[in-house]
Structure formats: C-alpha cells, structure tokens
Amino acid sequence: MSDAIRPYRSYVYAYPHKTAYRPLPERPELAALWAGEPKDALSLYAHIPFCEVRCGFCNLFTRIGAPDELTGRYLDALDRQATAVREALGDEAPVRFATAAFGGGTPTFLTAAELGRLCDIAEKRTGVDLRAVPLSVETSPATATADRLAVLAERGATRLSIGVQSFVDAEARAAVRPQRRADVEAALGRIRETGVPVLNIDLIYGIDGQTEQSWRSSLDAALAWRPEELYLYPLYVRPLTGLGRISPADRRRADREWDEQRLRLYRHGRDHLLAHGYEQVSMRMFRRADAPPLGPDDHACQTDGMIGLGCGARSYTSALHYSFDYAVDMREIRSIIDSYTETADFSRVEVGRWVDAGEARRRHLLQSLLQAEGMPVAGYEERFGSSPFADFPEELGRFESFGWLDPEAPEGLLRLSPEGLSYSDGLGPELFSPSVRAAMAAYEPK
C-alpha cells in the first residue's frame, strides 16, 4: 500500500463533487444555460428520495417513509419541473435522449401506479422514449414486488439494480441494513421473472466481521443468479450516517488495518469474478462477458449533457453543473423535500458550480482514467487541443512513480494498471483542482 496516498479517500462518481456546489446569487435561467448546448444525446435521471429504511452506511439524499401523500406531491413537483426543463430546451435544435435512469433513494418505494406516472412524466414531459433507450432502475429487496416490477418491465426497463450488500444476515445487520437472505433471494427471483435483460447486484466489502470466506460466500450467492453486472463497493463510514453515529469513525478513518482489509477483500472479489467470466469495467463495476449491450459505449453523461429531475438530481451543461440543496441529516432532507414539493417555478437554477476549461479537462481525464479500458490520448488531444501529459504532468508523474499507470498499454492509450485501478478512490481525488478542494473543505455537512 502506498505510503503517500491511501486507497479509500472518496468515491469519485462525478466531478466537481456536489459538496463543491454553492447557491448561485444570479439564479441563471435554464433556457439561457441550454441555448447552444448539444441536445442530441442527453441523459435523463429522475431522483426519488424515499426509502423504507436508512442503511447505516448511506449518505444519499433520501428520507424514510412518505407520510401525508408526500409521494403524490413530489410527483406533482417533478411534473412541473420536467415541463419547465423541456420548455427551456426549446425546439431550435433536435432534442434526443440517449439513456435514462431512475435512482434514489429507492424508486420502487413508489407504488405500481406511481411508477407508471413517473414513466409518463419522463415520456410526456421531456419527450424521452423509454422503450427505445437503455432505462436503468434501482430497487431494494423489500420493494421489488411483482406489481412494481411488471410496470417497469412493460415501460421499457432494460436494467434493474438491487442493493443486496451482503447475503450474510449478520453482516447486513452490522451494516445497519435490516434484511433476511430469504427475502433477498425471493426478490431476485421476481426480478429474473420479469425478463429484464440486465440484472445488477450491489455488494459491499469491509463490513465489521467480514472475512474472505464470508465475502466469497456473498459473491457465490450473487453469482448463482448469473447477474449481467456486479458492483463491489468498499464500505465507508461518513459523517451524519447511522454508522457514523455509532462507530468510532475517526479511529477507522486512520486505521491502516481497515485499508488493508478492504484492499484484500477487493482483490479477492476481483479475482473471483474474473475467474467466473466477468470483465472489469472499473474498480467497482464488473460485467459478464456475454451480457447484452445496453447502449452506445461512448456515451458519457458529463460530456454529452444530463437532465436531472427531482430534488437530489444533478444536471450538467458544458458550463454549469447544478442541482438543488444537498443534505445527509434526516431533518434537513425533509425540509429540502418539502421545499421542492412547494416550488412552482423551476425555470431558474438555485445551486451549482461553474465549470471552466481547466475543470472540463480534469473531468474528462477523471471519468476516462477511472475506467478499466483507459483513455485514448488522441481523443483528449482532439477535444482540448493539448496533451494530458502537458496539462497534468505532476499528477500523472506521481501515478507512474507508484506503478499505477499500465506500462503495457497499447501506444496512445493512457490506462491504469491493476494496482492503479485498485487505488481509484485514492487516485481520483488527486486530480481535483485546488479550487474544488477548497470548496469541499469549506463545506459544512448538514
């Protein structure tokens, strides 16, 4: 393990990180932001911020339950927002969506009828054809009921992703995730019965008491379902989460033994999946070699533009990444959701971060380098008119000195070595700009 950079610092799933977003005093108009933007390969993401329980590791923007017909009011607001967004996109240039996803929270917290309405909003308000593009939907063991899954299958879902985390009941309890393996297996059976072509199973490693043997047991239980995709997530203990309140988080963050445990389990899981016919797509993602393709391989939501609907969703233009306010504490989340449901005018942006040319370079390098296939240098040069080695000499030099760049990569391909890929959560933050680092450091969790 490198003495200079620890392997588990931050999961870089988007850049700039949302904790670098701030209220925008100018409140720019959506129509002005999207004028002149390419709109022929957009991503659509709808965020449903409700769950039946809050897992101990979860710092997502979600609340437990939805009293007083809150889901109906939330969908009403989502409808208003979708209408405003479509008006802002205009008709001067073709508007086409390349991919769609419903996430959360747990979208299947909604009833079957409400899921149908969510699909109607996506199609009738934004214009996406859900049956013609890849549609991914997240679910949970408790909410993957036959009636809900039937709606999603009928409306065009091509991928269902279920958060299992562990097939070992004791480990699920240790992660503060109340579930029984029998219920998990029943939910997986119902998902397979839908005929949706891609099943993804999420698993977590680094749970208290987890061993190579118990980790392999969960992996084998997942493999028994022959999922087209598997995501292996390292456990994090974050502020304001359930585990953050009950676990000695400060000690664990400084605990090198925990780093070693997670790296050991990661490598064990990676090698086990590779031996069972899976290909590694990123540090977290593994895909069965014979799985059906979902869509264009070159689609990247941060590059091509993303429309986020819902109070926890992000949207991306070339100049601005924006969203609504963000929180982890349940009281703050409830307040933000209530405010969202009462919003009448969605024509302006409230919270976000402007992205200049330098940040665009960093975003492109990050989202490409953290993929196992790597980044063609020529594509970067064509896009930005410069070389990544000239733009990021210090960072790439350090990665090379640690053995994180693959010396056997084909000429013209910048690719991480297997060891570099295992350090993705330490390597990624090294590419954050000083201004983004400062904004994240100044962010006060709430």
Side-chain angles (χ1 to χ4, degrees), residues 307-360:
I307 298 296
L309 302 177
C311 59
R314 308 165 191 247
S315 296
Y316 305 130
T317 71
S318 60
L320 181 69
H321 289 191
Y322 62 92
S323 65
F324 297 90
D325 202 3
Y326 170 71
V328 176
D329 179 78
M330 192 62 68
R331 289 171 296 181
E332 295 284 352
I333 289 173
R334 286 196 294 262
S335 175
I336 294 170
I337 292 174
D338 288 344
S339 177
Y340 175 81
T341 62
E342 295 166 1
T343 299
D345 181 4
F346 286 99
S347 65
R348 292 181 176 271
V349 175
E350 303 289 340
V351 177
R353 185 171 184 87
W354 295 99
V355 178
D356 61 19
E359 297 291 19

Side-chain angles (χ1 to χ4, degrees), residues 230-288:
L230 274 161
Y231 271 72
L232 309 184
Y233 287 94
L235 179 67
Y236 279 96
V237 174
R238 300 178 175 95
L240 303 181
T241 62
L243 285 179
R245 287 188 290 269
I246 66 176
S247 174
D250 291 338
R251 179 187 66 78
R252 295 188 72 174
R253 289 193 197 99
D255 192 344
R256 296 276 174 165
E257 292 184 4
W258 193 32
D259 283 348
E260 292 284 6
Q261 180 209 18
R262 286 180 286 181
L263 271 177
R264 187 169 61 251
L265 293 173
Y266 159 77
R267 290 166 177 151
H268 183 86
R270 173 198 64 194
D271 294 346
H272 195 58
L273 295 186
L274 293 177
H276 281 76
Y278 285 74
E279 298 173 344
Q280 187 164 18
V281 179
S282 68
M283 172 189 166
R284 286 165 170 75
M285 182 182 175
F286 295 80
R287 187 168 177 82
R288 213 178 71 209

